[in-house]
Amino acid sequence: MIFLLLIMSFTTAGCSEAPSEGETNITQTVEEPTDLPSLELPIQEREFLVGTAGVIPPNFPNSSEEDYLIFLDEVPNTGELLGAYMAWSVPDVIETIQFVDTYAVGVEPLVALGFDIDQVDDTYFSRNLPEIRNTIREVLITFDLEYLAFGVEVNRLIPEVSEAAFLDFVNAYRDIYDLVKMESPDTKVFTIFQLEYLKGAALLSGLEFDPHWEVLDHFAGKQDLVGLTIYP
């Protein structure tokens, strides 16, 4: 099993400012891990692919066409993959993938069709499955894809919507997996999980829940890769 790590980093400005009156300055001590492998940096040779997760050009979200072209011209210098992430329901799915495929010369598009979690209820995926199938079929007819993900951070559905919503997604995903394999057998199909949620350690979400690694079992036999988003 290959694990695809989609690593997203966030920095906070102004952390050194003193707390205002009535506030408490909390410092968290993080122990240094002792079981990390010994690596020589920078890495001169590797057997894995790297890339950029998403199309985020300068001045986003108010980027000009020139900003997009500058971004796509620079992307090949950062790795071999470029993630094209969007909700399956947006009207310009084909146009967005086409833009990436045309202008990001020298990189492989990694298409991920997610969903707006605020729109999801217990039967969202089963209700919309015919339209989801039509969208994905159109994508596969238009593009020869190496990678296609359906769903991004899907395990967030459990604490943020319901377990029923997650199981509804699982049924839809397994159907989509079979559809993709029928239309494009060589395309690698997978979904993407949020790692801190899997570990029960997503403290900044404001939610409390237990580790739930067992959710991966729902996708047995229907995952060519495992996608993870990580917030270090």
Side-chain angles (χ1 to χ4, degrees):
M1 183 70 72
I2 303 172
F3 285 79
L4 176 68
L5 304 183
L6 309 180
I7 303 177
M8 308 176 71
S9 300
F10 294 85
T11 58
T12 303
C15 291
S16 60
E17 295 181 1
S20 59
E21 184 177 353
E23 293 183 347
T24 302
N25 195 355
I26 300 175
T27 302
Q28 182 178 10
T29 302
V30 179
E31 295 183 1
E32 287 291 332
T34 58
D35 56 350
L36 292 179
S38 176
L39 296 175
E40 291 186 9
L41 298 176
I43 298 174
Q44 302 296 336
E45 296 182 4
R46 54 184 168 84
E47 298 180 355
F48 54 88
L49 302 179
V50 298
T52 300
V55 181
I56 311 294
N59 303 310
F60 185 84
N62 301 309
S63 306
S64 66
E65 181 178 353
E66 183 179 0
D67 289 330
Y68 276 93
L69 295 178
I70 290 172
F71 170 80
L72 293 173
D73 185 59
E74 182 64 25
V75 160
N77 297 326
T78 67
E80 299 84 27
L81 301 174
L82 173 59
Y85 299 89
M86 69 209 83
W88 70 268
S89 57
V90 298
D92 56 351
V93 167
I94 299 298
E95 291 79 4
T96 300
I97 301 172
Q98 186 68 68
F99 184 79
V100 171
D101 194 44
T102 300
Y103 290 100
V105 179
V107 298
E108 185 76 37
L110 191 157
V111 176
L113 301 180
F115 48 83
D116 183 347
I117 197 168
D118 293 331
Q119 297 180 0
V120 175
D121 57 26
D122 291 355
T123 61
Y124 171 86
F125 297 101
S126 52
R127 288 199 319 271
N128 290 285
L129 185 55
E131 292 184 42
I132 297 172
R133 288 173 59 89
N134 288 340
T135 297
I136 289 181
R137 186 178 287 111
E138 185 179 2
V139 168
L140 294 172
I141 291 173
T142 309
F143 305 100
D144 181 17
L145 295 181
E146 182 77 15
Y147 305 99
L148 176 61
F150 174 49
V152 179
E153 297 190 339
V154 299
N155 54 315
R156 286 179 53 199
L157 289 168
I158 299 171
E160 295 187 27
V161 184
S162 68
E163 186 170 358
F166 173 73
L167 295 176
D168 188 48
F169 169 79
V170 170
N171 290 333
Y173 170 85
R174 295 179 71 88
D175 180 276
I176 293 301
Y177 181 93
D178 292 339
L179 170 67
V180 175
K181 289 303 180 180
M182 182 174 60
E183 299 284 345
S184 180
D186 293 334
T187 298
K188 296 179 178 64
V189 189
F190 61 105
T191 194
I192 301 172
F193 304 90
Q194 209 294 304
L195 180 62
E196 281 72 33
Y197 276 63
L198 285 174
K199 296 167 62 177
L203 302 179
L204 296 181
S205 71
L207 303 173
E208 293 186 8
F209 46 89
D210 295 328
H212 50 270
W213 294 99
E214 68 279 0
V215 299
L216 276 71
D217 296 340
H218 290 287
F219 303 88
K222 302 288 185 179
Q223 285 246 79
D224 302 323
L225 307 171
V226 173
L228 300 173
T229 60
I230 301 172
Y231 298 88

